[in-house]
Amino acid sequence: MTEAAASPLRAVLVGCGHITGLWFDALDTIDRIAVVGLVDLDPQRARDVAAARAPAAAAFDDLATALDALHPDLVFDCTVPEAHAAVSGLALSRGCHVVTEKPLAATPEAAVELVRTAGTAGGIHAVIQNRRHSEGMRRVGSALAGGAVGPLTDVHVDFFMAPHFTGFRTGMRHVLLLDMAVHTFDQARKLIGGDPVSAFCREWNPAGSWYAADAAALAMFEFDNGVMLTYRGSWCAEGPPDAWDGRWRLVGRNGTLFWDGVATVTGERVGTRNGFWADRQPVPQPPPMPAPDGHAAVLLDALDAIATGRPPETESADNLRSLAMVFAAIDASEQGRWVDVRPYYRP
Ligand SMILES: NC(=O)c1ccc[n+]([C@@H]2O[C@H](COP(=O)([O-])OP(=O)(O)OC[C@H]3O[C@@H](n4cnc5c(N)ncnc54)[C@H](O)[C@@H]3O)[C@@H](O)[C@H]2O)c1
């Protein structure tokens, strides 16, 4: 191995808010990345994160200045959704690899523009869709691939919880769909194995909501392989919460799988058919499948993509299909009709 190949990639992390703790927990397990710079509009936040997690990193209040000073290989965009277009766009146009927090961008136009910029820049552009790397996702995927319930026909996800966030989410429009449901839609795309075709949705803000708008949604999607997806979610549903990965019912031709959104996957499939009802047999529990989860999994995938030249699993051009489901659902809710998802990812 050459000295250059052995050297860690030098990274600048932009946006030193709540999510940076998870990033550094993941980065602490990966020795091929060195964070050399931290940027936040509030320079004290950058200094605080440097002191707590990256003492060798320099603190800045502006990405352009950090790029000029440090010439990093990689930029991590951990800013608020509205800032991703400018921050990731600048880093890509300066030749850096970019790994960005979800959502890729806050508007359809900004998302398409970022994907175009990434397509002409030299670096990778990967989106942190950490929830497609949960152990439960691996177990459901393995049960489906093993034919536990036959080919999927429809998938139903519930996501009810009551987090009392402070910060950008309380004033954000489409907060549930854009900041959270994009995870579920991305997970559903991975499990369903097709592309979204059409969307129907109703967003609303439940009485007593502590969000400015759109904290709840009901949405339906049709995929090009005929699978239907329904989503029911709320970020202001007090009472027993679902898991952050949601609660899933996956119906196949021969049975149904349940995933609690953590690690438990159960199900039943048709045994002997004897008239009106079928005899049902339990689906064997998929085995434990420990592996790097979450942010670490996305970062390791990005590193491998950089090393080998293959696209990252969550590259922005592909991730646009997950975000398209969000934008189509938003427009479907506003227009009160089914909306074609495809123009949002094939502009
Ligand atoms: N993948 C996940 O599981 C997950 C979980 C939580 C948050 N997130 C995402 O992470 C991102 C940040 O969320 P958060 O909760 O940390 O928000 P936050 O408000 O706590 O932190 C965002 C930080 O970005 C800074 N910032 C904003 N614009 C900037 C700019 N142009 N240049 C430099 N700094 C800028 C702000 O000053 C703030 O310190 C969001 O996109 C959010 O959706 C992802």
Side-chain angles (χ1 to χ4, degrees):
M1 191 183 285
T2 64
E3 186 58 38
S7 305
L9 294 179
R10 300 168 68 258
V12 165
L13 185 149
V14 195
C16 296
H18 293 100
I19 196 60
T20 47
L22 270 186
W23 277 75
F24 278 101
D25 290 350
L27 288 165
D28 286 350
T29 68
I30 300 170
D31 59 8
R32 283 176 281 158
I33 298 173
V35 176
V36 295
L38 291 159
V39 183
D40 200 290
L41 295 176
D42 177 350
Q44 189 57 45
R45 290 192 186 177
R47 286 194 289 270
D48 288 346
V49 172
R53 305 297 300 256
F60 299 85
D61 62 4
D62 167 61
L63 175 60
T65 311
L67 294 176
D68 289 342
L70 298 171
H71 304 288
D73 306 295
L74 258 169
V75 168
F76 299 143
D77 185 351
C78 303
T79 61
V80 295
E82 292 72 25
H84 291 176
V87 168
S88 294
L90 175 62
L92 286 166
S93 66
R94 296 281 293 267
C96 301
H97 302 292
V98 172
V99 182
T100 178
E101 268 300 346
K102 45 52 64 171
L104 166 63
T107 65
E109 297 76 18
V112 167
E113 184 59 31
L114 268 181
V115 170
R116 283 207 181 107
T117 304
T120 55
I124 67 152
H125 186 205
V127 182
I128 292 276
Q129 295 285 187
N130 42 313
R131 297 191 175 281
R132 62 165 50 210
H133 295 286
S134 308
E135 182 176 1
M137 282 288 289
R138 288 192 286 282
R139 299 184 82 199
V140 174
S142 131
L144 291 174
V149 294
L152 282 177
T153 59
D154 45 293
V155 176
H156 310 273
V157 190
D158 276 355
F159 178 90
F160 292 94
M161 59 167 62
H164 286 251
F165 290 110
T166 56
F168 72 90
R169 292 178 186 82
T170 54
M172 181 178 171
R173 293 201 61 205
H174 318 297
V175 63
L176 179 75
L177 289 177
L178 188 53
D179 198 61
M180 190 64 221
V182 67
H183 278 303
T184 309
F185 299 168
D186 184 67
Q187 290 169 301
R189 271 187 60 225
K190 180 167 180 169
L191 294 173
I192 290 170
D195 281 330
V197 172
S198 55
F200 191 70
C201 180
R202 181 85 169 97
E203 285 182 292
W204 79 102
N205 207 25
S209 171
W210 49 94
Y211 298 84
D214 311 322
L218 302 173
M220 294 198 289
F221 300 92
E222 185 181 6
F223 281 71
D224 62 357
N225 56 5
V227 177
M228 295 293 296
L229 169 70
T230 71
Y231 172 86
R232 308 189 299 179
S234 173
W235 247 351
C236 58
E238 296 286 12
D242 291 322
W244 283 100
D245 273 344
R247 195 154 46 84
W248 294 63
R249 174 190 287 257
L250 301 107
V251 183
R253 292 268 295 272
N254 303 320
T256 293
L257 290 177
F258 296 98
W259 175 33
D260 67 355
V262 191
T264 305
V265 179
T266 58
E268 290 186 340
R269 55 176 287 134
V270 169
T272 314
R273 182 165 294 286
N274 50 10
F276 193 65
W277 297 109
D279 167 50
R280 302 190 311 275
Q281 304 292 329
V283 167
Q285 280 263 330
M289 295 181 183
D293 282 344
H295 282 64
V298 181
L299 289 169
L300 289 168
D301 179 67
L303 283 177
D304 190 60
I306 291 169
T308 61
R310 68 160 172 84
E313 177 176 335
T314 58
E315 75 165 335
S316 55
D318 180 76
N319 186 254
L320 191 58
R321 291 162 194 253
S322 302
L323 191 55
M325 295 170 70
V326 170
F327 294 137
I330 290 169
D331 286 347
S333 180
E334 288 178 348
Q335 296 165 21
R337 64 177 181 87
W338 282 90
V339 163
D340 191 338
V341 184
R342 291 166 293 194
Y344 296 82
Y345 60 84
R346 281 188 209 138

